[in-house]
Amino acid sequence: MGISYLKSLPLILIFILITVSAWSSPSTAASSNSSSHNGSFQQCFSSGFQHSYNSTTSGSMIFSKNNSAYASLLKSSVRNLRLLINSSEPQFIISPFHDSHVQAAVICSKKHGMQVRVRSGGHDYEGLSYVSDIVPFIIIDLVNLRSISINVENESASVESGATLGELYYKIAEKSNAYGFPAGSCPTVGVGGHFSGGGFGTLFRKYGLAADNVMDAKIVDADGKLLDRKSMGEDLFWAIRGGGGSSFGVILAWKIRLVPVPPVVTIFNVKKTLEQGATEHLQKWQAIASKLHEDLFLHAVVDVANAPSNGGSKTIQISFISLFLGPAERLLLLMKVSFPELALERNNCTEMSWIQSVLYFAGFPSRSPLRVLLDRSPQSKSFFKAKSDYVKESISKAGLEGLWQRLMEEQTSLLILTPYGGKMSDISDSETPFPHRSGNLYQIQYLVTWDSDNETQQHIGWMRTLYAYMAPYVSKSPRAAYLNYRDLDLGQNDNNNASYAQASTWGLKYFKNNFKRLVHVKTVVDPSNFFRNEQSIPVFPS
Ligand code: FDA
């Protein structure tokens, strides 16, 4: 069943029809003087609401550089401070309260030669939701479109894209402790970017990705039309569940399937330093983690620590962190069979509810109230660079030791090793654009953080050297990567307008054989390539 929307106000529809008929092509519009476009864009946008909204309402959703709230709104959800340095700024930030405002923003942008960046949670690793190489541009920031409604009877929920994962988890827990949703661990990540790029978390070995659990969606396309699953068609609905939303339109809302969670789950975090056999433990982990029972998620986080077990000097530390969907006694039995070397004991384990485990994986102190999940301000902000890889065969001991050596050069480096298998192996590579399914042992995320812009080149250089070192140990032809860990080093569209061959450099890494189908969908739904950015899906030449 479709989501019950598509109920735009009649006056807005009249405005949209009049404006659509007045469209000029983006290239013609872009060639005119940009400051006159600013005024006319603002006029175009505001005139759509003069009958149905008073000027205060309209004024509080369009922010220009002259507005005192502009700077704080621009920075509000930005997670990576690197992207705020020397970046071009949007002419306007639009913060819509209603679907029709998004339609008007798209239509007026197209008419007045403005590029559009869409922002939900602002966590894009390369800032593509708020930084643009092509100017002039606007940001459509969906912070005010974030309502969530939970329907326990139908085991489903409707969630607007501007909601955060924390808000979604909170709302689910408010209604029932028997359900959860398989999405990421960070509560301030936005639903819009996360779902459209895949979205995995501690439940994904049991239930797949967030995108695998989407039943319907609502999108504003490049013509400003509001579509649901039925009216957008199965090709576009396929594309926005892992192909990234920003190439296809503005996704306003999602209908998702809630998944059952047991009343008691168990977590543990067992740390091993090199001196305590971390390398050997990781070798064993590589062999078993993707084959564990699907109720058992056991990831490995590698960092550089000053460990007391090593006389306080620097060493590599691996944290084996787990969520088990059941009580501790059952977990202990499974671990004894699969990973006895870790010597897990009952006192390493803590039983809790699923929603408490959400707080734990989000890094909140135990006994934090659930309402911390509603705080949209990021827990920390820093300069960072990240990359990803997929591992199909265990990395040798020598390979791991070389990796440790390189990590020790960077005190603030971190690796997150996420095991695949379980439900992820049951879903075909082409079910959604996210192609990283069976055959993967685990995913690696490499992360380095720092505090000041003058260190940027040094840390990025280090990250690139590390990535080059890892090439022999990870997937090849293509060397696969996860879209939601966006990395512009993989390749960028020239002038945001790449040919198929150019875009294949990064497209095949994120999407493998699904890339071509994404280009087909894009060519049909946005032939003028209105929604484009440094890594947007290109169109086939006509
Ligand atoms: P943001 O608003 O920056 O958007 C990201 C991209 O999607 C941009 O290209 C943007 O234009 C587009 N977009 C956003 N909303 C859209 C919409 N409504 N319609 C069309 N396009 C839209 N991932 C994961 O799988 N599991 C995890 O546990 C984590 N954890 C995590 C922690 C932290 C601290 C960060 C910074 C990131 C993660 N991620 C993650 C990665 C995260 O899933 C990824 O960055 C998402 O794209 C973020 O979505 P936002 O809406 O927050 O980003």
Side-chain angles (χ1 to χ4, degrees):
M1 216 183 71
I3 306 175
S4 57
Y5 21 68
L6 307 174
K7 48 180 178 348
S8 306
L9 303 169
L11 282 168
I12 298 298
L13 279 177
I14 292 164
F15 157 75
I16 287 166
L17 288 171
I18 292 167
T19 315
V20 168
S21 66
W23 278 348
S24 52
S25 79
S27 54
T28 317
S31 63
S32 316
N33 167 317
S34 105
S35 61
S36 70
H37 279 163
N38 292 353
S40 44
F41 170 84
Q42 193 160 9
Q43 215 172 14
C44 173
F45 182 73
S46 303
S47 67
F49 310 109
Q50 63 196 4
H51 303 299
S52 46
Y53 292 85
N54 62 35
S55 56
T56 323
T57 312
S58 165
S60 64
M61 69 178 149
I62 177 161
F63 300 86
S64 73
K65 290 181 188 176
N66 300 329
N67 192 296
S68 59
Y70 172 93
S72 59
L73 183 57
L74 178 60
K75 292 180 192 157
S76 57
S77 59
V78 169
R79 195 60 198 256
N80 192 347
L81 299 178
R82 175 166 65 86
L83 283 324
L84 287 177
I85 309 286
N86 301 326
S87 303
S88 52
E89 290 183 338
Q91 298 295 323
F92 298 104
I93 307 173
I94 309 280
S95 194
F97 288 93
H98 188 275
D99 299 350
S100 57
H101 302 160
V102 177
Q103 292 177 277
V106 168
I107 288 165
C108 294
S109 302
K110 201 166 182 183
K111 183 178 175 194
H112 293 285
M114 295 278 191
Q115 277 292 292
V116 167
R117 295 290 148 131
V118 184
R119 182 161 78 176
S120 289
H123 282 46
D124 191 279
Y125 278 15
E126 299 280 11
L128 296 196
S129 55
Y130 52 91
V131 172
S132 172
D133 275 356
I134 297 194
V135 291
F137 74 106
I138 65 158
I139 296 176
I140 301 178
D141 189 319
L142 299 176
V143 61
N144 294 318
L145 287 178
R146 61 173 202 268
S147 74
I148 299 170
S149 91
I150 308 293
N151 188 333
V152 172
E153 288 72 42
N154 290 340
E155 303 184 318
S156 70
S158 292
V159 51
E160 288 187 312
S161 286
T164 60
L165 299 183
E167 290 169 335
L168 174 61
Y169 297 146
Y170 179 91
K171 290 283 183 185
I172 295 172
E174 209 178 36
K175 278 279 166 74
S176 163
N177 58 11
Y179 291 95
F181 188 68
S185 304
C186 173
T188 52
V189 162
V191 157
H194 189 69
F195 289 12
S196 62
F200 73 89
T202 53
L203 295 178
F204 91 129
R205 297 192 68 252
K206 173 107 177 166
Y207 296 115
L209 304 171
D212 296 328
N213 290 282
V214 168
M215 302 154 76
D216 203 337
K218 180 169 63 156
I219 188 171
V220 172
D221 74 2
D223 292 335
K225 289 193 197 120
L226 187 58
L227 308 170
D228 67 1
R229 178 175 182 170
K230 197 166 171 215
S231 50
M232 81 176 81
E234 287 304 303
D235 274 348
L236 180 53
F237 183 63
W238 173 85
I240 59 172
R241 287 173 296 144
S246 58
S247 302
F248 300 100
V250 185
I251 303 155
L252 298 177
W254 311 77
K255 182 175 177 185
I256 55 174
R257 187 181 305 114
L258 300 178
V259 300
V261 290
V264 174
V265 305
T266 308
I267 53 125
F268 70 79
N269 180 352
V270 174
K271 296 175 194 290
K272 298 286 176 191
T273 61
L274 290 185
E275 296 68 30
Q276 295 166 326
T279 309
E280 294 72 23
H281 281 92
L282 195 73
Q283 284 183 285
K284 179 68 191 263
W285 177 89
Q286 291 187 102
I288 56 104
S290 64
K291 300 183 186 76
L292 290 171
H293 192 283
E294 62 183 19
D295 285 346
L296 179 48
F297 171 83
L298 174 57
H299 74 170
V301 178
V302 184
D303 68 347
V304 181
N306 295 315
S309 64
N310 192 29
S313 54
K314 259 186 3 175
T315 185
I316 293 292
Q317 174 177 264
I318 305 183
S319 306
F320 293 93
I321 308 173
S322 176
L323 172 73
F324 177 63
L325 297 173
E329 292 316 317
R330 222 181 109 216
L331 168 64
L332 286 165
L333 289 176
L334 285 174
M335 288 295 288
K336 205 168 170 188
V337 173
S338 305
F339 199 173
E341 297 81 355
L342 201 60
L344 188 70
E345 292 177 4
R346 179 63 182 86
N347 62 12
N348 300 129
C349 303
T350 311
E351 292 182 338
M352 56 182 64
S353 65
W354 174 75
I355 194 67
Q356 283 168 329
S357 80
V358 167
L359 295 180
Y360 174 79
F361 278 91
F364 291 111
S366 62
R367 285 193 247 286
S368 296
L370 282 195
R371 66 174 179 279
V372 293
L373 293 172
L374 300 178
D375 187 353
R376 291 179 67 97
S377 45
Q379 290 150 291
S380 66
K381 291 190 178 200
S382 61
F383 293 71
F384 73 83
K385 175 71 191 166
K387 288 178 174 292
S388 61
D389 258 322
Y390 283 88
V391 177
K392 290 172 174 288
E393 285 170 27
S394 291
I395 302 176
S396 63
K397 187 169 188 202
L400 292 175
E401 285 168 348
L403 176 56
W404 307 155
Q405 225 177 322
R406 281 157 183 83
L407 290 179
M408 294 281 266
E409 294 163 7
E410 269 283 2
Q411 187 70 29
T412 54
S413 58
L414 187 81
L415 305 184
I416 302 177
L417 278 45
T418 303
Y420 270 53
K423 175 80 176 175
M424 289 300 284
S425 297
D426 298 341
I427 299 174
S428 92
D429 292 6
S430 58
E431 180 74 24
T432 70
F434 181 99
H436 318 293
R437 304 288 185 168
S438 76
N440 289 296
L441 296 183
Y442 58 98
Q443 179 205 55
I444 306 179
Q445 175 174 204
Y446 312 88
L447 183 69
V448 59
T449 58
W450 61 98
D451 294 323
S452 139
D453 182 46
N454 55 24
E455 297 170 35
T456 296
Q457 287 317 316
Q458 171 203 332
H459 294 289
I460 289 187
W462 174 84
M463 177 60 86
R464 289 176 181 157
T465 308
L466 178 73
Y467 190 69
Y469 167 77
M470 290 300 287
Y473 304 109
V474 296
S475 64
K476 296 169 190 64
S477 305
R479 182 171 179 180
Y482 175 36
L483 176 69
N484 266 346
Y485 293 159
R486 193 189 302 283
D487 178 7
L488 291 182
D489 290 352
L490 301 179
Q492 294 190 42
N493 300 342
D494 278 345
N495 200 20
N496 294 357
N497 223 341
S499 67
Y500 177 80
Q502 275 174 325
S504 297
T505 55
W506 54 265
L508 293 175
K509 291 174 189 293
Y510 290 140
F511 307 114
K512 299 197 200 167
N513 293 334
N514 296 326
F515 181 56
K516 204 167 195 172
R517 182 170 172 199
L518 285 170
V519 180
H520 274 291
V521 178
K522 170 75 177 180
T523 306
V524 171
V525 303
D526 183 17
S528 70
N529 201 14
F530 174 65
F531 287 111
R532 62 185 193 270
N533 62 44
E534 291 75 0
Q535 276 187 348
S536 58
I537 304 294
V539 293
F540 284 124
S542 49

